[in-house]
Amino acid sequence: MPKLGMEPIRRAALVKATIDEIGATGTLDVTVSQIAKRAGMSTALAHHYFGGKTQIFLAAMRHILAVYADEVHAALATADGPLARLEAVVRAGFASSNFRPEVVGAWLNFYVLAQSSLDAQRLLDIYQRRLHSNLVHDLRPLVGDRADQAAARIAGLIDGLYLRRGLQQSAHFDLPAADHVLALLRAELKGTTT
């Protein structure tokens, strides 16, 4: 007889174990058995809750994206006006929680998985559309019809700098990544990009 109320606790433990295991190995070449062992449960139970490794990993990425969304919402709640809101979105993307080794490992593997998994591609598309939408919403009053293209450039720089920063082994980075993106934002507001 299953214990009532244990499913959410076990699912959360498996999600955390997946993130930690991928962070420890740096690859998706982990087994459901390794994940289940790290979570302190049987492989059969992990399969029961998620079905397989890809589904567990996608649940882990949904968790990471939910944490990121919470950070964005919290930053936006204190921002006043379109420019402050844009800065809040940029800074939330480079919060220290996004650079924990296990989170970086999950993101890097997520991008790779999205090349071969339709479900991962859909989840990546959702993340990219939400970022683009957040940027366009606050760029439109500032740059008008150029908002869509400006948002595409800014989002591309955010993702590129995240990957670049995430792959760096040393703590040295010439300028905080958010400052690079904010420099592009200032150029967009002046209309100096093409």
Side-chain angles (χ1 to χ4, degrees), residues 64-120:
I64 288 170
L65 287 166
V67 169
Y68 166 68
D70 289 345
E71 289 175 351
V72 170
H73 291 136
L76 288 173
T78 61
D80 186 29
L83 183 57
R85 289 175 54 84
L86 288 164
E87 290 177 2
V89 168
V90 169
R91 293 200 187 281
F94 295 105
S96 61
S97 61
N98 292 322
F99 288 100
R100 293 186 348 254
E102 65 275 16
V103 173
V104 171
W107 268 106
L108 295 175
N109 283 285
F110 179 53
Y111 279 113
V112 172
L113 182 62
Q115 294 178 43
S116 61
S117 164
L118 199 52
D119 289 336

Side-chain angles (χ1 to χ4, degrees), residues 4-130:
L4 292 176
M6 288 304 294
E7 182 175 349
I9 294 166
R10 288 179 178 152
R11 282 180 172 271
L14 285 164
V15 163
K16 182 181 181 326
T18 301
I19 295 167
D20 291 345
E21 193 66 29
I22 290 168
T25 64
T27 178
L28 279 177
D29 290 336
V30 297
T31 65
V32 174
S33 177
Q34 289 170 290
I35 293 167
K37 183 177 179 181
R38 186 178 279 264
M41 62 189 76
S42 72
T43 303
L45 201 52
H47 279 290
H48 169 74
Y49 287 129
F50 289 101
K53 182 174 71 172
T54 299
Q55 291 78 18
I56 296 172
F57 179 64
L58 290 175
M61 281 310 302
R62 283 186 201 94
H63 171 75
I64 288 170
L65 287 166
V67 169
Y68 166 68
D70 289 345
E71 289 175 351
V72 170
H73 291 136
L76 288 173
T78 61
D80 186 29
L83 183 57
R85 289 175 54 84
L86 288 164
E87 290 177 2
V89 168
V90 169
R91 293 200 187 281
F94 295 105
S96 61
S97 61
N98 292 322
F99 288 100
R100 293 186 348 254
E102 65 275 16
V103 173
V104 171
W107 268 106
L108 295 175
N109 283 285
F110 179 53
Y111 279 113
V112 172
L113 182 62
Q115 294 178 43
S116 61
S117 164
L118 199 52
D119 289 336
Q121 181 59 54
R122 283 187 194 116
L123 190 55
L124 181 59
D125 287 344
I126 290 169
Y127 155 72
Q128 290 173 335
R129 283 194 314 261
R130 284 181 181 165

